[in-house]
Amino acid sequence: MPPPRKRATVHDIAAAAGVSRGTVSRVLNGGYVSAEARAAIEAAITEVGYVPNTAARTLKMRRSQAVGFVALEPHSLFLDDPNIGAIMLGANAALSLADHQMVSLVVESARDTERVGRYLSGGFVDGAIVVSARTHDPIIKVISDLRLPAAFVGHPPDLDQRIPYVGIDNAGSARAVTERLLATGRRRVGMIAAALDRDSGIDRLAGFRAALGDAFDGDLVAEVPHYDYGSGIKGMRLLLDREPAIDGVFAASDAIAAGALETLREAGRSVPGDVGLVGFDDSTWAVRTQPPLSTVHQPAKQIGTVAAQLILRQLRGEQLDPGGQLLPTPIVWRDSA
Amino acid sequence: MPPPRKRATVHDIAAAAGVSRGTVSRVLNGGYVSAEARAAIEAAITEVGYVPNTAARTLKMRRSQAVGFVALEPHSLFLDDPNIGAIMLGANAALSLADHQMVSLVVESARDTERVGRYLSGGFVDGAIVVSARTHDPIIKVISDLRLPAAFVGHPPDLDQRIPYVGIDNAGSARAVTERLLATGRRRVGMIAAALDRDSGIDRLAGFRAALGDAFDGDLVAEVPHYDYGSGIKGMRLLLDREPAIDGVFAASDAIAAGALETLREAGRSVPGDVGLVGFDDSTWAVRTQPPLSTVHQPAKQIGTVAAQLILRQLRGEQLDPGGQLLPTPIVWRDSA
């Protein structure tokens, strides 16, 4: 094994070519040198494996041509939520077309928050897309203070009004899918509500409540921490304990619905025979359960595309209209309700 | 909406404070200026929202304190393979402890390959972890040519021998799980083989072949492109067409096994009654199918941790032993075989 590799520098070229650093710099910057010196320097560049430092050059222009993609709460995002992948790919494709490099930054610990804050403020990126921020997330303050061009996916209630966002109408979509479930004749309908520290979780619960109106019963809401399969199992057990006659469930995500389905199966309840079950997201989960899930389609890839465009427009100096963009969320009615 | 936000510069501070740029620079670099000028400059720094440019400073030290995490073939990785999330979180946690920022770079198109190559060579990262490279992947050549400290997850056959890697013994693990399946008394055992342009895919097929020895029948190998659920459906249909009496299947991933399980269910075959089915990965898929999958455990988070450590050791100037590190892969025997 050779010694650890180090980036070749102008020094190395100068030493290999037997010329001064100034002469090397002139060649690298397109200036005049003798044909002999140029040939020696070009041979030395190949020999030492020199690559020009783009970071240094872009810094002079105060542009890195890179955009951060900050994923908060990555644990449940990466391990249980297939939407995050689709959002990333949508954003990457749009940034790629505009010759910008997307750099994803994972924030899992307080240590990460602080270091990502320094990174965002350090000139390494021209802007940042932030996914899944909680209320009072310290990253929101970092981005506000920096005045970094940014776009949020979703809309934490305390978001700086100047920062644009893209998302969906969580409350309206949750209301629509719950109304559709009620229209199938279900009488005792509960909800497995998740992520109540985030706008999406709060709004989905609000929509469920609005659909039920006077029939809303707080006992039929099981609160779970995450949008994941394990939370679906826990939440459904809670609901069955509290109301054995439950005949309808709105799960706050498809992964939760998949967990709930497993719990219902173990409890000997058929879906949709005994219990009508609806999810949210229309992620890969929805078509892989038995029966496949009736759910709300979330246009994840397009959300990524729009977030990228919001950044690119700011980088071009465009004025953005205040507020956010909400994308349509059709109901996809399959076999679970 | 205020005009698009721009990063404040030394110019802006100088203008706001009514002093020269040189005076501002002296304050920023800890030099001497009059008490009056210092007070004016400090007030101006707050007023214009100036943040020092860390990128410029780290460039002088030729270190960015950032490490790239290059995810190739992200489509199937992010949408179907829960392991990639665990690898990312493992790598991020290890880099975070060493105060390095992990930046994930998605390579989905030829355009991405070229731009990520430029990014890696541009001084923005001190090293790179590369996941899921195919044989002849252009990123391998970029990294070899750059002499960038790197670590591969998996081992493409044409990998530069100087680049360390971490992975698992795909051939040995595939052989072990197939032998275990054969030991349950299955007579006509097939394989759904995927990703034959990558070391992991090639090696899992080789292990299957070795387990069968003289009984190996090429007709009982269905080749599919990806490690995903859809490929499992296609592959299992092929195998049922070719050999209706098939009674055992080794699927090259758990997602493939989940798709195969669905096809078997539709065809009226019980698992494990009629057909014994084993997967590979021990990902979240394995515990969510009915029945849960017998499979090979892949230590995804630890793979990420080791990859990060391989980079950090190179950055500290340590000599690495040649070759790769293979982590243990216990068989997890559940109910599908």
Side-chain angles (χ1 to χ4, degrees):
Chain A
M1 187 107 186
R5 291 158 290 165
K6 285 205 183 116
R7 236 185 128 77
T9 65
V10 170
H11 274 291
D12 301 326
I13 302 172
V19 300
S20 75
R21 282 176 59 201
T23 310
V24 175
S25 290
R26 279 205 300 286
V27 168
L28 294 176
N29 294 312
Y32 174 77
V33 296
S34 70
E36 191 185 3
R38 178 176 298 274
I41 288 166
E42 285 175 354
I45 285 173
T46 307
E47 183 190 334
V48 303
Y50 175 81
V51 180
N53 193 317
T54 317
R57 219 179 316 132
T58 55
L59 263 168
K60 285 193 192 155
M61 308 187 299
R62 308 196 68 77
R63 277 289 169 90
S64 66
Q65 293 280 110
V67 172
F69 182 98
V70 183
L72 301 161
E73 297 214 25
H75 216 85
S76 69
L77 283 176
F78 282 117
L79 304 185
D80 283 289
D81 182 355
N83 278 322
I84 185 77
I87 295 173
M88 278 181 71
L89 293 177
N92 186 65
L95 292 171
S96 179
L97 276 177
D99 270 326
H100 280 66
Q101 178 62 49
M102 185 178 88
V103 299
S104 303
L105 311 168
V106 165
V107 178
E108 191 177 32
S109 61
R111 198 181 176 93
D112 286 343
T113 301
E114 203 189 311
R115 199 193 53 253
V116 166
R118 288 200 306 270
Y119 190 82
L120 293 177
S121 64
F124 296 102
V125 296
D126 301 333
I129 295 167
V130 180
V131 179
S132 194
R134 289 157 304 176
T135 306
H136 305 308
D137 200 297
I139 288 288
I140 297 179
K141 187 170 159 26
V142 168
I143 288 188
S144 278
D145 290 354
L146 279 175
R147 309 189 210 175
L148 189 71
F152 275 65
V153 171
H155 183 241
D158 57 342
L159 187 64
D160 182 331
Q161 292 301 316
R162 295 169 304 178
I163 300 178
Y165 66 93
V166 54
I168 57 169
D169 176 1
N170 280 291
S173 309
R175 180 175 183 156
V177 78
T178 305
E179 284 171 349
R180 178 86 187 252
L181 177 63
L182 291 168
T184 64
R186 309 289 171 173
R187 301 277 158 197
R188 291 294 283 160
V189 174
M191 175 176 179
I192 306 174
L196 294 175
D197 55 352
R198 279 191 259 163
D199 64 308
S200 61
I202 295 163
D203 291 352
R204 288 176 202 180
L205 176 55
F208 173 77
R209 187 172 189 142
L212 282 161
D214 293 343
F216 177 79
D217 176 355
D219 277 353
L220 290 190
V221 175
E223 293 182 13
V224 294
H226 305 298
Y227 288 124
D228 64 359
Y229 182 89
S231 296
I233 289 181
K234 275 180 232 143
M236 194 65 234
R237 283 184 187 151
L238 272 173
L239 289 179
L240 283 172
D241 278 353
R242 289 189 202 156
E243 175 53 284
I246 193 164
D247 66 355
V249 175
F250 167 40
S253 79
D254 290 344
I256 290 176
L261 193 60
E262 173 59 16
T263 297
L264 287 165
R265 204 190 56 78
E266 281 172 9
R269 309 294 175 97
S270 74
V271 172
D274 300 326
V275 180
L277 175 67
V278 298
F280 202 105
D281 286 340
D282 195 23
S283 70
T284 46
W285 284 102
V287 287
R288 288 174 190 172
T289 54
Q290 275 305 324
L293 299 173
S294 297
T295 188
V296 173
H297 179 75
Q298 181 152 205
K301 188 163 186 186
Q302 201 194 339
I303 287 174
T305 307
V306 171
Q309 286 165 346
L310 287 172
I311 299 284
L312 292 168
R313 289 173 58 193
Q314 292 175 71
L315 294 178
R316 285 197 296 264
E318 276 182 47
Q319 291 273 44
L320 299 188
D321 294 332
Q325 280 188 49
L326 298 183
L327 303 182
T329 51
I331 287 178
V332 181
W333 206 252
R334 296 195 183 90
D335 304 327
S336 65
Chain B
M1 186 109 184
R5 292 157 290 164
K6 285 205 183 112
R7 233 185 130 77
T9 64
V10 170
H11 273 291
D12 301 326
I13 303 171
V19 300
S20 75
R21 282 175 60 200
T23 309
V24 174
S25 290
R26 279 205 299 286
V27 168
L28 293 177
N29 294 312
Y32 174 77
V33 296
S34 71
E36 192 184 1
R38 177 177 299 276
I41 288 166
E42 284 174 355
I45 285 172
T46 307
E47 182 190 336
V48 303
Y50 175 81
V51 180
N53 193 316
T54 317
R57 221 181 315 134
T58 55
L59 262 169
K60 284 194 195 156
M61 308 187 299
R62 307 196 68 77
R63 278 288 169 91
S64 66
Q65 293 278 109
V67 172
F69 182 98
V70 183
L72 301 161
E73 298 213 26
H75 216 86
S76 69
L77 283 176
F78 283 118
L79 304 185
D80 283 289
D81 182 354
N83 278 321
I84 186 76
I87 296 173
M88 278 179 72
L89 293 178
N92 186 66
L95 292 170
S96 179
L97 276 177
D99 270 326
H100 280 66
Q101 178 63 48
M102 186 178 87
V103 299
S104 302
L105 311 167
V106 165
V107 178
E108 192 177 32
S109 62
R111 200 183 175 91
D112 286 344
T113 302
E114 203 189 312
R115 199 193 54 252
V116 166
R118 287 201 307 270
Y119 190 82
L120 293 176
S121 63
F124 296 103
V125 296
D126 301 332
I129 295 167
V130 180
V131 178
S132 195
R134 289 155 305 175
T135 306
H136 306 308
D137 200 297
I139 287 289
I140 297 179
K141 187 169 158 29
V142 167
I143 288 189
S144 280
D145 291 354
L146 279 174
R147 310 190 209 174
L148 189 72
F152 275 65
V153 170
H155 183 240
D158 57 342
L159 188 63
D160 183 330
Q161 292 301 316
R162 294 170 305 179
I163 300 178
Y165 66 92
V166 54
I168 57 169
D169 176 1
N170 281 290
S173 309
R175 179 175 184 156
V177 78
T178 305
E179 283 171 349
R180 177 84 188 252
L181 177 63
L182 290 168
T184 64
R186 309 289 171 175
R187 301 274 160 201
R188 292 295 283 159
V189 176
M191 175 175 178
I192 306 175
L196 294 175
D197 56 352
R198 278 192 260 162
D199 65 307
S200 62
I202 296 163
D203 291 352
R204 289 176 202 180
L205 176 55
F208 173 77
R209 187 172 190 143
L212 282 162
D214 293 342
F216 176 79
D217 177 354
D219 277 354
L220 289 189
V221 175
E223 294 182 12
V224 295
H226 305 298
Y227 288 125
D228 65 358
Y229 183 89
S231 295
I233 289 181
K234 275 180 232 143
M236 194 64 234
R237 283 184 186 151
L238 272 173
L239 289 179
L240 283 172
D241 278 354
R242 290 190 201 155
E243 175 54 284
I246 193 164
D247 66 356
V249 175
F250 167 40
S253 79
D254 291 344
I256 290 176
L261 194 61
E262 173 59 16
T263 297
L264 287 166
R265 205 190 55 78
E266 280 171 9
R269 309 294 175 97
S270 74
V271 172
D274 299 326
V275 180
L277 175 67
V278 298
F280 202 105
D281 286 341
D282 195 25
S283 70
T284 46
W285 284 102
V287 287
R288 288 172 190 175
T289 53
Q290 274 306 322
L293 299 173
S294 297
T295 188
V296 173
H297 180 74
Q298 181 152 203
K301 188 164 186 185
Q302 201 193 340
I303 287 173
T305 307
V306 171
Q309 288 164 346
L310 287 172
I311 299 284
L312 293 168
R313 289 173 59 193
Q314 292 174 71
L315 295 178
R316 286 197 296 264
E318 275 183 45
Q319 290 273 44
L320 298 187
D321 294 331
Q325 280 188 48
L326 299 182
L327 303 181
T329 51
I331 288 178
V332 181
W333 206 253
R334 296 194 182 91
D335 304 327
S336 65

